Amino acid sequence: MAITVEARPYPFTLDPAHAALVVIDMQRDFIEPGGFGAVLGNDVSRLTAIIPSVAALLSLFRGQNLPVLHTREAHRPDLSDCPPAKRLRGAPGLRIGDEGAMGRILVAGEPGNAIVPELAPLTGEMVIDKPGKGMFWATGLHEILSEKGITQLVIAGVTTEVCVQTSMREANDRGYECLLIEEATESYFPEFKASAIEMIVAQGGIVGWSARLAALETAFARELVHG
Ligand code: C5J
């Protein structure tokens, strides 16, 4: 049974039979003090602060046995999936593949590439390593979701204006309906988060919808738990 979630630019009709939660790039190197994000000069406490909201979302979906998908921005150790144009973009000495405080930066299997322990994937949850900012590029994700009949994505993660927005735009172009949960996404730059959300919901939801966590919790409590 579909449930109605108060959202912007207008209510979102969520069909749990065809929906999944997507948690984007909540990996230690972006979130934890001493990681890649921090070394770049960012205030990671903004990102650390959303962990409880993302955990609440995970509980909501897990509690209803709804599908959960995690992504990581991760490259192969030989960097064969990292175009030079991406690798050369960073500051010298802090590039993808270089040794950072938590192992090689954005390389699969390194400690910093792991999802923060508070949000660790459970057995059976999908984990997608993506070499790009968007979650569909070079991942086969569209085929995986299509096979499962998933057409709606509830979105959380970081950073709002980079991997989250890129992934939502990719999803939108492939026909998915996306609902971004505002307290469960963050940016190192508050004004970028605010602008990204405005861009997403502008023009009648040109990229998707956004909602408060409480609105989703209320909708679940009203129509699923007792439904
Ligand atoms: C960035 C991301 N910001 N997950 N990655 O490089 O948004």
Side-chain angles (χ1 to χ4, degrees):
M1 185 183 69
I3 65 176
T4 303
V5 184
E6 270 316 307
R8 290 201 304 145
Y10 54 87
F12 185 83
T13 304
L14 179 75
D15 180 357
H18 298 286
L21 172 64
V22 180
V23 180
I24 297 177
D25 297 1
M26 291 297 287
Q27 51 205 74
R28 295 183 61 208
D29 248 334
F30 292 139
I31 310 277
E32 291 188 359
F36 179 46
V39 173
L40 285 174
N42 296 304
D43 174 9
V44 294
S45 68
R46 298 187 53 78
L47 275 55
T48 312
I50 70 165
I51 290 176
S53 297
V54 180
L57 258 182
L58 282 167
S59 297
L60 211 53
F61 274 70
R62 287 169 177 163
Q64 298 292 331
N65 287 319
L66 298 179
V68 172
L69 161 68
H70 306 258
T71 71
R72 294 181 293 221
E73 187 172 346
H75 292 277
R76 295 188 197 120
D78 66 2
L79 301 185
S80 58
D81 59 355
C82 183
K86 183 177 183 189
R87 174 163 155 74
L88 295 177
R89 203 74 59 82
L94 275 179
R95 291 184 169 147
I96 294 168
D98 288 348
E99 202 62 43
M102 297 184 193
R104 293 181 67 204
I105 292 165
L106 296 190
V107 170
E110 297 289 329
N113 206 235
I115 291 168
V116 294
E118 299 91 328
L119 307 175
L122 298 184
T123 306
E125 292 179 350
M126 295 172 270
V127 181
I128 297 285
D129 280 344
K130 58 182 184 57
K133 304 301 182 197
M135 63 187 177
F136 287 91
W137 165 246
T139 60
L141 179 58
H142 186 43
E143 290 70 24
I144 294 169
L145 295 177
S146 300
E147 201 203 320
K148 294 180 184 298
I150 293 169
T151 58
Q152 295 188 322
L153 304 173
V154 175
I155 307 275
V158 298
T159 60
T160 318
E161 78 281 11
V162 186
C163 291
V164 170
Q165 183 172 206
T166 304
S167 294
M168 285 184 73
R169 287 176 182 276
E170 285 185 338
N172 192 45
D173 283 348
R174 286 164 177 78
Y176 296 88
E177 294 176 310
C178 295
L179 175 66
L180 177 63
I181 304 302
E182 293 174 14
E183 297 89 339
T185 184
E186 197 46 85
S187 169
Y188 299 122
F189 309 96
E191 66 277 20
F192 288 178
K193 172 180 175 177
S195 298
I197 292 175
E198 292 309 313
M199 285 183 228
I200 285 163
V201 304
Q203 302 180 74
I206 195 157
V207 176
W209 287 255
S210 82
R212 306 303 300 258
L213 175 59
L216 187 65
E217 289 174 333
T218 301
F220 268 64
R222 191 176 53 225
E223 298 183 53
L224 274 182
V225 176
H226 306 296

